[in-house]
Each structure stands twice: as C-alpha cells, then as structure tokens.
Amino acid sequence: MSETAYSSTPKELIGPSAFMTAAVRAFESQRPDRLFNDPWAAVLATEEGERRRLLIKDHGAPIIVRTRFFDDCLDQLVHEEDIKQIVLPAAGLDTRAFRMEWPEGTRFFELDQPMVLEYKEEVLQRHGARPLCDRRSLAVDLAASEWPDALLQAGYDPSLPAIWLVEGLLFYLSEEQIRNFLSQVSNLAAPGSWLGFDSVHSAMLKSPLLEVRTKLVASLGSPWLGAIDDPVSLLGSYGWQATVVYSVYKALEYDRPVFPFIPKEELTPELLNLYHLFVTARKEGTRTGE
C-alpha cells in the first residue's frame, strides 16, 4: 500500500485504534477476493494506521471479519425488518453511510468526538464522497450523560425501532461503563430495535496465549479493559434477546485466519473464549403498528 495514499493529518488528532481500523479496511479492499470494498479507507487511515496494522500478527483480521459480519447484518435488517434509523456510537472512520446501499428514508446517525468527525468530514469531502442516506453527525462524549439528548435533538425517534451498531468500543470501557452505556441505549431503543456489538471474554485478558497481543494493544494506547462473559444474560437484564457468534467461526468461513491460529477441530469451549464475540440482539416487545 503506497504511503502517498494517506492523509498527513497528525496522529494525535484521533485515537490510534480508529486509524488502524481504517488501514485494515483499506488493506482488505485491495484484495481481489475482498469481503467488502471501502473506497475511502486508505485516505482516512494515515501512515500511522498502516504502521500499527503491520504490528499485529494477523494484520487486523478480526476487524475484517467483524466488518463483513456486521455489513451483512445491517443489509439484512434494513431490507427485511424495514428499519429506517441506524445509530453508530463511536463511529470513528466508518464509511458505511457512503459505501452501502440504503433504502429510501434511511436516517444514519454517527456519534463520536468532535475532532474525529471533523477530520472524517474534511477528508471525505475532499475526495468527493457523498452519503447514500440521510447522514447526521453528532459530536458528543459517550462517557457523558448528555449524549442521548443530542441524539434526540438530531431527529432520532425513540418510538420507532432502530439498529444500534457498536463496533470496537466496549472492550475499551470498564465493566461499569459498559453497563451504563447499555442502559442508555436500552432506554432509547423501541421494541423491535436491534443491537450489534463485538466484545471480549475475560479469558482473553488473562490468557498466556494472548499476553503478547494484549500488551501490544496496551502499548499502542488502546488497552482492553472490559469483558462480557455472558452477553445473553447481560442483555436479557435490559430487555434484549441476544445471540452470540464466535468470531473464529466467521473467520474460517471467510478464509481470514485470526490469532491465535488454532485448527477448527482443536477448538474447545475454553479456547473459543480467546476470540472476539459478535453479539446481535433484538429488543423484546411489539413494534408500534404491529
């Protein structure tokens, strides 16, 4: 990947994980057998993002697998469930509003820190990107209690179902912060809403097999803090019915091996907990009008 593809924006402007995620998506988009195509990932990534991607043994394969998995989830839900509101907390440098086809009337809310959104807006405008939906960017602090009010003021309708996609966020939060965040989302989500996120099991944070990786992630400025060992029970306490998919199975399906590299036939329930979890959940209750 050519260094000239990247913006010269100082790396201090955005959290390192956002740059690396964009670099991983740019790398995948160059493959002939790519799982998705993100035309703007390279110009968003910066050289810093590519440097960090190269430090990871599987070069960010969990991000590639996660992106494709949730792309498919979103595509299915908007077309089969007729949900017109999509919310991306901690949207980072995600470009789904620009690169995926959305039904008419789709309203897409991106929430993140002001500098993140300003940087993304400037780069995307400079390269002629145009959203394929009604995209609304909200500069908020998700650690503060006021962000739900900002979402409501931006046109989010809490009486209608929505899709909430939370990628690459929860394992950077403490367990208390995770619960607070899920409570806020649950209060905003009408029955029939869907929630998707990736998380880690506490075994990942303690495993000798992953010690090098967890230390590397911490040294890059994004330590993993929060684990969710039983997403089904946790979400059930907030009124969601959840399903869990182990990322390693999707990695095998997509032919994108993820670390630790363990053959499928050797995977045990204990070893499965060393991989990211993909969680999808439906808010229980009856949708308005049903």
Side-chain angles (χ1 to χ4, degrees), residues 22-278:
V24 169
R25 289 173 173 160
F27 177 76
E28 177 65 20
S29 297
Q30 290 186 331
R31 292 182 58 140
D33 62 342
R34 57 184 175 249
L35 296 174
F36 53 84
N37 183 32
D38 188 337
W40 299 281
V43 293
L44 288 165
T46 76
E47 295 177 18
E48 178 65 14
E50 177 68 355
R51 183 185 73 81
R52 292 172 184 272
R53 182 187 72 81
L54 292 171
L55 293 174
I56 305 297
K57 283 189 177 182
D58 53 18
H59 301 309
I63 294 171
I64 295 169
V65 175
R66 178 184 80 194
T67 301
R68 172 57 185 267
F69 177 80
F70 285 119
D71 276 4
D72 289 347
C73 288
L74 284 169
D75 187 66
Q76 179 179 352
L77 288 172
V78 296
H79 290 97
E80 295 184 6
E81 298 282 333
D82 192 32
I83 298 176
K84 297 296 179 65
Q85 298 186 115
I86 300 173
V87 187
L88 265 65
L93 304 181
D94 184 275
T95 65
R96 286 187 176 93
F98 298 82
R99 66 176 179 82
M100 293 180 65
E101 296 291 334
W102 301 104
E104 185 177 353
T106 299
R107 186 168 291 178
F108 204 103
F109 300 92
E110 296 185 9
L111 286 62
D112 214 316
Q113 299 284 346
M115 287 191 297
V116 175
L117 297 178
E118 289 170 9
Y119 166 73
K120 180 162 71 170
E121 202 70 32
E122 186 274 326
V123 173
L124 291 176
Q125 286 189 9
R126 179 155 37 91
H127 288 84
R130 296 290 181 269
L132 302 177
C133 56
D134 178 3
R135 173 177 172 260
R136 304 187 180 192
S137 297
L138 284 74
V140 298
D141 180 1
L142 292 172
S145 59
E146 296 82 7
W147 70 263
D149 293 332
L151 182 62
L152 295 171
Q153 292 170 11
Y156 175 85
D157 188 341
S159 70
L160 298 177
I163 303 169
W164 291 76
L165 178 57
V166 188
E167 285 184 293
L169 172 65
L170 297 187
F171 38 82
Y172 297 130
L173 306 180
S174 68
E175 294 187 17
E176 180 182 1
Q177 289 174 320
I178 290 173
R179 288 182 175 275
N180 288 339
F181 176 76
L182 290 177
S183 177
Q184 290 173 308
V185 170
S186 300
N187 289 336
L188 289 163
S193 293
W194 284 85
L195 170 64
F197 63 78
D198 55 325
S199 63
V200 300
H201 192 280
S202 59
M204 287 187 70
L205 307 181
K206 304 172 185 176
S207 170
L209 273 175
L210 291 170
E211 184 177 5
V212 172
R213 167 162 286 193
T214 53
K215 286 184 175 179
L216 174 61
V217 169
S219 72
L220 295 177
S222 304
W224 291 344
L225 302 174
I228 304 177
D229 288 357
D230 188 354
V232 174
S233 294
L234 176 60
L235 288 174
S237 68
Y238 294 106
W240 300 83
Q241 185 174 6
T243 301
V244 177
V245 175
Y246 289 99
S247 63
V248 64
Y249 287 137
K250 302 306 292 187
L252 291 167
E253 176 185 336
Y254 300 153
D255 192 25
R256 299 294 187 273
V258 294
F259 183 82
F261 305 116
I262 300 172
K264 184 177 182 179
E265 61 274 13
E266 296 180 18
L267 290 171
T268 63
E270 291 75 20
L271 290 175
L272 286 173
N273 289 329
L274 302 184
Y275 298 93
H276 289 259
L277 306 177
F278 298 154

